[in-house]
C-alpha cells in the first residue's frame, strides 16, 4: 500500500530520443519584441514591496497598492508611453509590455496603474491637445494627480454611445454643465473613484445649441485643494469585489457640475466660445469610434497579462504535478501525477494554448506599437488593430480563467490554499472577461467585421450571384460527401493505420481546416442573414437567431490567428530538437482546436470519420511525447522564485516525497516494518 | 441612440400560446421527498444571523460561523440523523436535505456544520459502537465537543489507504500510540483543526503484533480541560483559502500521542487487550471500503448543495437578464438581455441542467436514505449508492462552478460585485470539485464499475467470444455507415425539413443515444484493455492511455442518470401546459448533451450528418420557446428575498430602467430634447 522503494524521477527530458530543448532560445521567443523591458519589469518586481499581501483587508490592500503606484513612479516604470517633452519615451510597445508583467506581482497593482496611466492619463494624452497635456500630464505621470476614467455607467456598459450623462454647453458662462439625469446614468465601477481620484475624465453626451453631438470626453476636477469633494460631486464606494480588491472602485454622479469650456478634451471635436461645434471628422459615428479607438491599449494589455498569468498558473501546476505522487503503480512505487494520461490531458493542451497566446500577443503588440507610433497608421490599420484586439482579448482572458481553474483543481486541496496563488489569480482575473469590452460583445464585433469582409468580396456582383453562392455553400453542407471528396480523404483513409492517418493531420491540413472553418461559417451565416433583405425587424430576428454562431465564427477566427502566430514562432527556431518539440506543442494546440470543433468538421465534410476518430488518439500520443518536456516548457516562461511564490511549486513537495520514501526505505531496511494483513492473507491462501 | 419610448415587458409567459406553467407544482417537484424539511430550513435561514457577512475578515468570519453553529443547535436543525435515544430523529434523508439548504445562507456555515455533525459526528456514530456513542455523541450534538475529521494528509488525499499516520498498539499500557512519522503524513485541510476542535477522529494505519491491519479510525482528544493542547499534539493554521474562510481549516500532527485502546472506533475491527485483532469482515480491502462507505453522506450533501447553489445563481442572472437592457433594437427600444439569442444560449441550457441535477439528487437522496435507514441495505445497494455518489457529485459540483461563472459574466461588472452573491458562491464552492473525493478520481471509480459490470455480462463465456464482441464493437466504428443504417436515419432524413428532423430527436431517441453512448464507450475501452492479458505493466500502460476516455464514459453514465431523473419528473406532471414546457426544458437538456458529444455520435454512426446539423438549430428554437417561461422556471426554485439578497435581482434594475425611460419620455414630451447630430445630418442629406 505504501511505497518502500526509492527510484529516481522517471521523466528526464535529456533521456528522450529527441533530447532536451534549448530552453534559453524558447524563452527569448516567448519574451518577444520587448524582451528587455519585460526583463527589467520582472527584475523590479522581485522586490517584495510589489507583492500582493494576502493578509490585508480591503482598505489596507487599497492603501498598499497606492503606495506601490508611487514606487512605480520612482522606478520610472510607467512613463514609457508619454511624450518625451514630459520625460516619457514615446515607446508604446515597451510601455504595454512592462505594464503586463506587473500581473504576477499583484493584478490589483497592474490594473490600478492601468487606470491611472493607461486610461485616465491616456484619455488626456490621446483625446486632449497640447494645452491639456501641459496642464495635467506631469501630475498624471508623477501621481500627484490621481484620476478616474469615467466612461461606464450603471445602465450602459457595452453600449457606450448611449450613456446618459450630459455635458450641456452654456455660452453665457463659457462652461459645460456635467449632469447625471437619472440613477442609471451614474458612472460605475471606476478605479480611483471611491477614494484616491482627485479628477476624472468623464464621457458624456455633448449638447450645444440644442444639438447632441454624441459622446465626448471632459476633464472634471473632483476634489478641491482642501481635499474635499467639489460641489455637485457625489462618490459611492463599490465595496468588496470578487477580486482586485486593492483598487478603490466606485461610482460618481454629477449634479450640474460646471467646468470651463476648455476642459473638453478637444482633439476630435471642439466647441467655440459661442457654442459652435466643429470636428475634423464629419460622421458622428466615425468620430465616436475614432475616439474610442485611441483607448484600445486596455485590451492589448489584458491580452498579454492574461496570457502570462496562464503561464504562471501552469508553472505552478506542472511543477507540482511533476513531484506529487498518488496511488501505487505497477512497479510498486507511487505514480507521479503528470505520468497519468488524464493529468497530461488536463494540463498539456492548456500549456500549448498558452504558448499560442503569448506568441500571438507579441504580434498583436507589434501591430499596436506600429499604429500608435504612427509608423503604420491608416484607417485600415486602426480597424485591423481593433479587430485583432476584439478577437484576442476574449480568447486569452477566458483561457486564463479556464487554465487557472484547471491548475487549481489539478493541485487538489493545495490549489485552494491562497498562498499557492492559483485561487487569488483566478479571482483577480475574473473581471478581465467582461471589462474593457465584454468578451461576447467583442467577439460579435469581430463577427460583424468578418461578415463585412465577406460581403466585400461580392462588391459589384449582383444579388443573384451572391444568393447563388450562398445556396452553393449550404449545399456543401447537405451533400456532405462533397467536401470529403475535395480533400481526397475518403479514398486515402480507407484501411489506413493510425500512423498514416496522423500524416493527414499535419501543419498544412491543420491550417486548411482552421481556415476553411472560418470561411465556411461566415459564408453560411451571411447566406442566412441575406433572407431579410431590407426588412429591419426581420434582419434583427435573423441576426439574433445567428448570434451565437456568429460569435463562434469570431472565435474560430481568433483561434486561426493564434495557430498562425504559433507556427511562425516554431519556424523561427533553428535548433532541430527544439523545433521538433515545439512542433509537437503546436500540433497539440492545432489538434485540440480541431477536436473541440470535431462535429463541425464532420458535418461539413472536412474530415472523414476515420480521420476524426484519429484526432483524439493523436492528441493522447502528443501528450505522452511532450510529457518529459513539460518542465522545460514551463521553465521557458522564465519565472523565478520571487515571481512564483507558491510553496507547492518551491520544491517542498519533492522534499516531502523524498522524506516519506526515505522513511519507508529505512523502515524496510531495519527489519521492523509491520507486515500488512493483506500480504499475510495472500501468503495463507498460497500455503 | 437613447431610447425615448416606453413599452411593456415583451415576455409574459401568460401571453404565450401554451400559457403560464403551474409554478407551485413545479416547485413541489423540485423540493422533492423532504420538501417539508427544506421549507423549515429555508424559513430558519431567513434570519439575518445566518447570513454570510462579507465585511468580516477571516478571523471574524470564523467566529461568526461558530456562533451560527450554536444557533443551529438551538434551532434543533442538526440532530435529524442522530439516534433517538440522544434526542435525534434517525432520519437520514431529512438530515441531508435540511443541511443542503444552508448553502444559500453561507457555504462556510454549511461546510463547518458538515465537519462537526456530518464527518466528526458521523465517524463516531457510524464507525464507533454504543460506548462511544454514549460518551461523545451528546457533546457532538450540542457542540460542547467540537471536533475535526482527520483523514486527509499532506501526502495522501485521494489514496486514503496509503495514509502515513500510524496507530501502534502497546499491550503493556493497553494504549494506541498515534504518530506522524514524516511531514507528508501530517493531517491537512481539516475544518475545526486550526482553532475550535477539542478532539478529532483520526484515520491511521492500525498496527498490532507487528501486523498492519490497514486504516482505522481513532478518537483522539486534542485539548485538555484547561483549554491547552495535550502533549504531542501540534496544530497549524491553513490560513486564507480561495473560499469558505468562515472555517478554521488546519493541520494536525502527532508525536507519539497515547490514547486508550477503547478509543478505537471498533465497529468494523477491534483490538483485544492482548493485542489480538479481530473483524467481522475478513477481507482487509472490503473492510476498508465498508468503513469509508459509511461516510458517503458528504458526497450526497455536496451534490444537493451544489445543485441548489446553481439554482440561486440562475435566479439572480435570469432575473437581472429579464430587466436589464442594452443596445437599441429594431423597434427603437433597447433590447432586454434575455431576448438575445446568445444570452438565452448562455443561461437556459444551464437552467435545464440545474433542473436535471435537482431531480436526480432527490432520487439519490432516497437511495441514501434507504441504505442508511437499513430499509434497503444489501452490499449491492451500498455499492450502487457509492457509484451514484461518485457519478453525480462530480457533475453537479462542476456544473455549479460553470453556472455561477456564466451567471457572473452574464451580469457583467455587476456580477463581479461581492454584494451580488455570484463571486462569493463560486469562490466558496470551488473546493467542492476536489474535496470529499476529487471529481476525476470519483469518475474513474465509476468507470471501473462500468467495466466490471460490462465484464460480468460475459461471465462464463470464453475469452474468444469476448474478443469477438470487442472486435464487432470496433468494427461498428470503422464502418460508420452501419450504425446509421441500423437507426434508419440515412434514408429517413434525406430531404427532410427541419421540423421533421426534430421528430427524430425526441424523448425516445435522446434516451437511446445517451444510453448507447455509455454502452459503446465502455465496450470500446474494455476491448482495448483486454490486450494486456495478465501483464501488469502493460495493463497499467493501456489503462493510462484509456484513462481520459474512461472518465468520459463515466461522465456519460452520470449524464444518462440525470436525463432519466428529469424525464421521470416530467412524467409526474399532470397539467398539460406545465408538462409541455418542462418537456421542452428536458429536451433542451438532452439535446445539449448530444450537442456536446456530437462528434462521438457522428463518428459512431448514431446520427446522420443531417440530423446532427439539426441539433444546434433545435436547441436554438427550444431556447426561444422557453425564454418567456424563464422567470417562472426560476421562480419555481422558491427562493425568497432573504435567500437571494442580491441587489441586482431585487427589482432595482427594473426601477432604474423605468426611471431612465420615463426621463427620456418626459424630455421628449417637453419639446426641449436636443436633436442628435446624426439625425440632423440625415435630414440635410435628404434635403
Amino acid at each position: 500500500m505504501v511505497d518502500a522503494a526509492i527510484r529516481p524521477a522517471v521523466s528526464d527530458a535529456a533521456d528522450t530520443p529527441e533530447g532536451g530543448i534549448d530552453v534559453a532560445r524558447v524563452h527569448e521567443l516567448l519574451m518577444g519584441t520587448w524582451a528587455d523591458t519585460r526583463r527589467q519589469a520582472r527584475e523590479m518586481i522581485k522586490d517584495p514591496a510589489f507583492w500582493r499581501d494576502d493578509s490585508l483587508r480591503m482598505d489596507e490592500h487599497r492603501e498598499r497598492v497606492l503606495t506601490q503606484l508611487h514606487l512605480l513612479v520612482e522606478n520610472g516604470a510607467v512613463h514609457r508611453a508619454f511624450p518625451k517633452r514630459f520625460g516619457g519615451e514615446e515607446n508604446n510597445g515597451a510601455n504595454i509590455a512592462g505594464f503586463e508583467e506587473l500581473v504576477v506581482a499583484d493584478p490589483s497593482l497592474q490594473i490600478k496603474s492601468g487606470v491611472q496611466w493607461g486610461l485616465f492619463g491616456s484619455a488626456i494624452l490621446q483625446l486632449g491637445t497640447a494645452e491639456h497635456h501641459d496642464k495635467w500630464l506631469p501630475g498624471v505621470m508623477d501621481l500627484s494627480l490621481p484620476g478616474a476614467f469615467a466612461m461606464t455607467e450603471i445602465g450602459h456598459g457595452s453600449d457606450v454611445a448611449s450613456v446618459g450623462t450630459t455635458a450641456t454647453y452654456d455660452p453665457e458662462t463659457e462652461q459645460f454643465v456635467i449632469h447625471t439625469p437619472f440613477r442609471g446614468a451614474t458612472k460605475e465601477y471606476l478605479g480611483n473613484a471611491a477614494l484616491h481620484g482627485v479628477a476624472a475624465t468623464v464621457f458624456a453626451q455633448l449638447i450645444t445649441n440644442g444639438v447632441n453631438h454624441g459622446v465626448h470626453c471632459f476633464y472634471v476636477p473632483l476634489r478641491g485643494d482642501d481635499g474635499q469633494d467639489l460641489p455637485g460631486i457625489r462618490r459611492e464606494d463599490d465595496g468588496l469585489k470578487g477580486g482586485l480588491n486593492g483598487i478603490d472602485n466606485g461610482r460618481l454622479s454629477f449634479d450640474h457640475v460646471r467646468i470651463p469650456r476648455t476642459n473638453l478634451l478637444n482633439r476630435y471635436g471642439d466647441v467655440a466660445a459661442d457654442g459652435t461645434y466643429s470636428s475634423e471628422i464629419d460622421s458622428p459615428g466615425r468620430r465616436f469610434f475614432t475616439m474610442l479607438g485611441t483607448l484600445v491599449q486596455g485590451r492589448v494589455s489584458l491580452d498579454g497579462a492574461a496570457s502570462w498569468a496562464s503561464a504562471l498558473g501552469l508553472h505552478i501546476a506542472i511543477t507540482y504535478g511533476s513531484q506529487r505522487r498518488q496511488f501505487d503503480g505497477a512497479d510498486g512505487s507511487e505514480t507521479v501525477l503528470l505520468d497519468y494520461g488524464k493529468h497530461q490531458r488536463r494540463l498539456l493542451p492548456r500549456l500549448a494554448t498558452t504558448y499560442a497566446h503569448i506568441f500571438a500577443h507579441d504580434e498583436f503588440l507589434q501591430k499596436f506599437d506600429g499604429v500608435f507610433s504612427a509608423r503604420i497608421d491608416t484607417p485600415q490599420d486602426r480597424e485591423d488593430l481593433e479587430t485583432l484586439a476584439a478577437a484576442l482579448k476574449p480568447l486569452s482572458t477566458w483561457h486564463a480563467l479556464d487554465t487557472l481553474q484547471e491548475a487549481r483543481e489539478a493541485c487538489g486541496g493545495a490549489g485552494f490554499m491562497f498562498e499557492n496563488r492559483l485561487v487569488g489569480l483566478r479571482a483577480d482575473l475574473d473581471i478581465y472577461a467582461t471589462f474593457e469590452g465584454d468578451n461576447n460583445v467583442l467577439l460579435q464585433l469581430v463577427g460583424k467585421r468578418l461578415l463585412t469582409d465577406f460581403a466585400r468580396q461580392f462588391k459589384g456582383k449582383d444579388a443573384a450571384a451572391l444568393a447563388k453562392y450562398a445556396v452553393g455553400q449550404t449545399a456543401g453542407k447537405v451533400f456532405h460527401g462533397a467536401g470529403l471528396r475535395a480533400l481526397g480523404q475518403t479514398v486515402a483513409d480507407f484501411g489506413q493505420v493510425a500512423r498514416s492517418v496522423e500524416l493527414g493531420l499535419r501543419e498544412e491540413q491543420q491550417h486548411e481546416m482552421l481556415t476553411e472553418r472560418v470561411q465556411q461559417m461566415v459564408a453560411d451565416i451571411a447566406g442566412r442573414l441575406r433572407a431579410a433583405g431590407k426588412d429591419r425587424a426581420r434582419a434583427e430576428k435573423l441576426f439574433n437567431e445567428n448570434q451565437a454562431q456568429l460569435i463562434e465564427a469570431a472565435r474560430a477566427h481568433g483561434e486561426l490567428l493564434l495557430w498562425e502566430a504559433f507556427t511562425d514562432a516554431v519556424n523561427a527556431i533553428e535548433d532541430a530538437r527544439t523545433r521538433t518539440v515545439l512542433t509537437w506543442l503546436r500540433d497539440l494546440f492545432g489538434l485540440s482546436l480541431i477536436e473541440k470543433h470535431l462535429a463541425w468538421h464532420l458535418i461539413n465534410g472536412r474530415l472523414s470519420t476515420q480521420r476524426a476518430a484519429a484526432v483524439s488518439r493523436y492528441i493522447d500520443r502528443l501528450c505522452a511525447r511532450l510529457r518529459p518536456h513539460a518542465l522545460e516548457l514551463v521553465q521557458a516562461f522564465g519565472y523565478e522564485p520571487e515571481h512564483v511564490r507558491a510553496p507547492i511549486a518551491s520544491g517542498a513537495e519533492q522534499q516531502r516525497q523524498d522524506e516519506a520514501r526515505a522513511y519507508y526505505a529505512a523502515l524496510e531496511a531495519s527489519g521492523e516494518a509491520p507486515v500488512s494483513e493483506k500480504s499475510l492473507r495472500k501468503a495463507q491462501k498460497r500455503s
Side-chain angles (χ1 to χ4, degrees), chain A residues 314-465:
Chain A
L314 289 167
H315 176 112
I316 294 168
I318 286 177
T319 303
Y320 182 68
S322 304
Q323 298 175 357
R324 171 79 170 178
R325 292 164 179 269
Q326 201 78 173
F327 290 111
D328 287 357
D331 66 353
S333 306
E334 291 183 297
T335 305
V336 173
L337 292 195
L338 206 56
D339 286 335
Y340 286 110
K342 177 68 182 177
H343 214 76
Q344 292 166 14
R345 263 278 190 170
R346 293 169 72 182
L347 296 177
L348 300 185
R350 288 175 171 90
L351 178 63
T353 306
T354 303
Y355 265 69
H357 275 291
I358 292 174
F359 290 137
H361 177 69
D362 193 59
E363 289 188 7
F364 177 22
L365 196 50
Q366 287 177 39
K367 181 90 187 174
F368 165 77
D369 185 66
V371 168
F372 275 68
S373 310
R375 280 200 312 279
I376 45 157
D377 190 13
T378 65
Q380 176 71 26
D381 286 314
R382 294 229 160 215
E383 201 183 341
D384 287 349
L385 176 63
E386 290 283 336
T387 308
L388 205 52
L392 293 180
K393 179 263 185 186
L395 270 57
S396 56
T397 53
W398 273 328
H399 171 67
L401 296 186
D402 169 65
T403 298
L404 291 166
Q405 181 63 22
E406 195 68 43
R408 138 41 211 139
E409 292 181 28
C411 295
F416 193 59
M417 298 298 111
F418 223 93
E419 62 176 14
N420 288 322
R421 307 284 312 274
L422 299 167
V423 288
L425 277 171
R426 199 211 162 281
D428 286 334
L429 266 71
D430 184 358
I431 193 65
Y432 288 33
T434 51
F435 74 178
E436 296 286 319
D438 175 274
N439 281 358
N440 281 298
V441 175
L442 289 178
L443 286 180
Q444 182 170 296
L445 280 178
V446 175
K448 286 183 173 173
R449 169 76 189 273
L450 292 173
L451 285 174
T452 309
D453 287 356
F454 178 78
R456 226 173 253 160
Q457 295 177 47
F458 298 97
K459 215 164 180 176
K461 293 181 186 164
D462 63 6

Side-chain angles (χ1 to χ4, degrees), chain A residues 496-676:
Chain A
Q496 271 184 331
V497 294
R499 192 83 205 156
S500 62
V501 170
E502 284 181 11
L503 293 172
L505 294 169
R506 292 286 164 87
E507 182 168 317
E508 197 189 333
Q509 288 83 5
Q510 291 170 33
H511 194 206
E512 195 172 71
M513 278 190 273
L514 295 173
T515 309
E516 289 186 358
R517 181 156 180 265
V518 184
Q519 291 171 343
Q520 181 71 56
M521 287 179 91
V522 173
D524 285 349
I525 296 165
R528 289 195 295 269
L529 294 183
R530 278 191 54 76
K534 291 196 188 297
D535 179 344
R536 209 182 147 199
R538 176 103 200 271
E540 183 182 29
K541 187 170 175 294
L542 277 176
F543 185 85
N544 209 17
E545 285 170 15
N546 284 279
Q547 189 188 25
Q549 295 205 38
L550 185 64
I551 288 172
E552 269 311 295
R555 189 195 300 267
H557 172 73
E559 289 169 347
L560 174 61
L561 295 175
L562 293 174
W563 186 93
E564 288 177 342
F566 200 154
T567 301
D568 286 347
V570 170
N571 290 336
I573 298 170
E574 306 76 19
D575 175 56
R577 296 189 302 184
T578 307
R579 193 165 163 156
T580 299
V581 174
L582 269 285
T583 302
W584 292 340
L585 197 66
R586 194 278 324 274
D587 286 348
L588 179 57
F589 174 64
L591 292 171
S592 297
L593 292 177
I594 290 164
E595 187 185 48
K596 195 165 68 157
H597 310 303
L598 204 55
W600 189 94
H601 293 289
L602 281 160
I603 290 175
N604 290 274
R606 308 298 161 142
L607 268 180
S608 67
T609 46
Q610 283 91 338
R611 199 170 290 186
V615 169
S616 297
R617 291 273 144 204
Y618 195 5
I619 290 176
D620 289 338
R621 272 195 293 276
L622 285 168
C623 283
R625 271 183 222 162
L626 285 163
R627 188 266 176 262
H629 300 284
L631 273 180
E632 294 178 321
L633 290 167
V634 295
Q635 276 161 13
F637 293 137
Y639 284 124
E640 297 179 64
E642 295 89 342
H643 305 121
V644 180
R645 308 193 304 275
I648 43 166
S650 66
E653 179 60 24
Q654 189 61 55
Q655 221 168 7
R656 283 193 294 263
Q657 293 288 344
D658 293 345
E659 192 186 310
R661 293 152 78 83
Y663 166 80
Y664 287 115
L667 190 64
E668 200 64 37
S670 73
E672 288 169 13
V675 194
S676 85

